[in-house]
Amino acid sequence: MREEDEHFKERLTGTLNVPLTKLKAEPKDADTADKLAYLDRSRPVYVHCDGGERAEEGATLFCNLGFTDVKLLEGGVFEISRDSGLLIERE
């Protein structure tokens, strides 16, 4: 749910970023529509942002788009990395 510049600076390894602003614009945003078409709607989707507000809204939008297993990750990138062991990539 993080914006592209935030995701570019630091991100959890192996993540696919769908910014909340673009998810709200789907299907008008072709790049976002392509990303969503790539995802299996029956597999888990983990949603996070830096503070939590965007992630909550994004999780609701994913559910409304037919994703059946949406999981909201609490905390920001650093908290999630610390708690899960996922690595952070930086540019």
Side-chain angles (χ1 to χ4, degrees):
M1 302 290 79
R2 300 170 74 216
E3 293 304 317
E4 291 171 350
D5 62 325
E6 294 173 289
H7 184 74
F8 180 76
K9 289 178 192 172
E10 57 203 12
R11 64 203 161 276
L12 297 171
T13 300
T15 57
L16 174 70
N17 187 47
V18 180
L20 179 61
T21 53
K22 294 199 174 194
L23 186 60
K24 287 179 177 181
E26 193 282 327
K28 296 173 200 141
D29 182 77
D31 181 54
T32 301
D34 287 345
K35 285 181 182 178
L36 295 178
Y38 169 79
L39 298 173
D40 180 346
R41 292 174 194 263
S42 66
R43 295 203 51 185
V45 172
Y46 298 89
V47 181
H48 75 88
C49 64
D50 277 337
E53 290 180 29
R54 290 179 289 179
E56 285 184 34
E57 186 176 354
T60 299
L61 289 170
F62 271 109
C63 288
N64 292 342
L65 289 168
F67 289 84
T68 58
D69 191 5
V70 179
K71 300 182 185 319
L72 180 62
L73 298 178
E74 300 292 331
V77 171
F78 295 107
E79 257 182 80
I80 295 166
S81 175
R82 181 193 68 221
D83 295 346
S84 69
L86 292 172
L87 300 177
I88 294 176
E89 295 177 351
R90 291 187 174 92
E91 291 300 317

